[in-house]
Amino acid sequence: QSVLTQPPSASGTPGQSVTISCSGSTSNIGYNTVNWYQQLPGTAPKLLIYSNSQRPSGVPDRFSGSKSGTSASLAISGLQSEDEADYYCAAWDDSLNGWVFGGGTKLTVL
Amino acid sequence: EVQLVESGGGLVQPGRSLRLSCAASGFTFDDKAMHWVRQAPGKGLEWVSGISWNSGNRGYADSVKGRFTISRDNAKNSLYLQMNSLRPEDTALYYCAKEGVSGFDYWGQGTLVTVSS
């Protein structure tokens, strides 16, 4: 069981919008920022969103992140087939003194 | 261009040891904290260990505490993970990752560790 909770799967059709949730507690998301990673099939994870809502250079603005209380969300608009991947949220945990990840959400573009 | 290249993985029997290495280039290595993150076959990501730029701070996941040791050699731009008393549940792809403003902004391609008799 992961410290951060994500839905195991999500789906949408091309052009649609989809949101992936990430639930934690005060020791992680509540007091620390959230990062999101995209892992395309057979590849290493890639940083998608950092500090709750910041996009690294090169990440399309179709991807956006937000945080409220002990939960965070990743929103993807204008879905494209190449967005089909696993998405992970992560945050520092003050109680565990380490980084914690969500279990991952497999996004399918129908 | 930032590059992180892991090596040292392989098949090892339970209870034995293995040392992973990560060669870094394309950035000022001795400026940045570094981490190891693993992914068991078909599973999610798990943070394993991290080390500050000057080795002054090191952290470990509870699952590896007391068995794994992280270290770095800034003169060689290299990160290491000494893994002792390996268990079948340590079987995973081990990624080296660079810490950015927040989180891990660059990842290597990983090195596979298989613990089996």
Side-chain angles (χ1 to χ4, degrees):
Chain A
Q1 274 75 351
S2 302
V3 174
L4 305 182
T5 301
Q6 297 179 236
S9 63
S11 64
T13 56
Q16 274 190 334
S17 296
V18 66
T19 299
I20 297 171
S21 62
C22 175
S23 177
S25 66
T26 52
S27 66
N28 42 66
I29 294 178
Y31 285 118
N32 297 297
T33 60
V34 177
N35 307 307
W36 290 90
Y37 300 91
Q38 177 193 57
Q39 188 174 32
L40 297 169
T43 70
K46 166 191 166 185
L47 181 64
L48 196 64
I49 298 286
Y50 68 95
S51 298
N52 303 327
S53 60
Q54 304 302 302
R55 281 186 308 275
S57 160
V59 173
D61 59 6
R62 301 187 295 104
F63 295 90
S64 62
S66 63
K67 182 185 114 169
S68 178
T70 59
S71 294
S73 295
L74 172 70
I76 309 172
S77 62
L79 264 182
Q80 299 180 4
S81 57
E82 54 261 43
D83 298 335
E84 196 159 277
D86 293 324
Y87 293 85
Y88 295 89
C89 59
W92 177 262
D93 191 293
D94 293 327
S95 296
L96 297 174
N97 256 315
W99 289 91
V100 292
F101 285 91
T105 299
K106 184 175 185 62
L107 174 65
T108 302
V109 181
L110 303 168
Chain B
E1 178 197 3
V2 172
Q3 284 201 327
L4 299 170
V5 180
E6 303 93 336
S7 60
L11 174 62
V12 61
Q13 293 179 326
R16 303 298 289 257
S17 299
L18 209 56
R19 188 195 197 208
L20 305 184
S21 299
C22 170
S25 61
F27 65 100
T28 307
F29 182 73
D30 56 14
D31 247 354
K32 300 298 182 186
M34 297 293 296
H35 298 264
W36 290 99
V37 178
R38 69 184 180 184
Q39 186 169 34
K43 302 296 184 183
L45 301 172
E46 179 190 17
W47 176 79
V48 173
S49 182
I51 186 168
S52 61
W53 64 276
N54 64 352
S55 304
N57 282 306
R58 307 178 201 219
Y60 301 92
D62 286 344
S63 57
V64 306
K65 206 169 288 183
R67 301 187 299 122
F68 289 13
T69 302
I70 191 171
S71 62
R72 64 190 295 162
D73 185 336
N74 287 344
K76 294 182 178 179
N77 284 359
S78 293
L79 175 72
Y80 306 101
L81 186 68
Q82 177 66 43
M83 305 186 296
N84 298 332
S85 303
L86 282 161
R87 305 167 180 167
E89 54 265 35
D90 295 320
T91 293
L93 188 60
Y94 284 73
Y95 293 105
C96 164
K98 168 184 168 290
E99 186 172 312
V101 169
S102 176
F104 314 126
D105 58 357
Y106 289 92
W107 300 62
Q109 287 307 301
T111 186
L112 182 62
V113 173
T114 303
V115 184
S116 173
S117 53

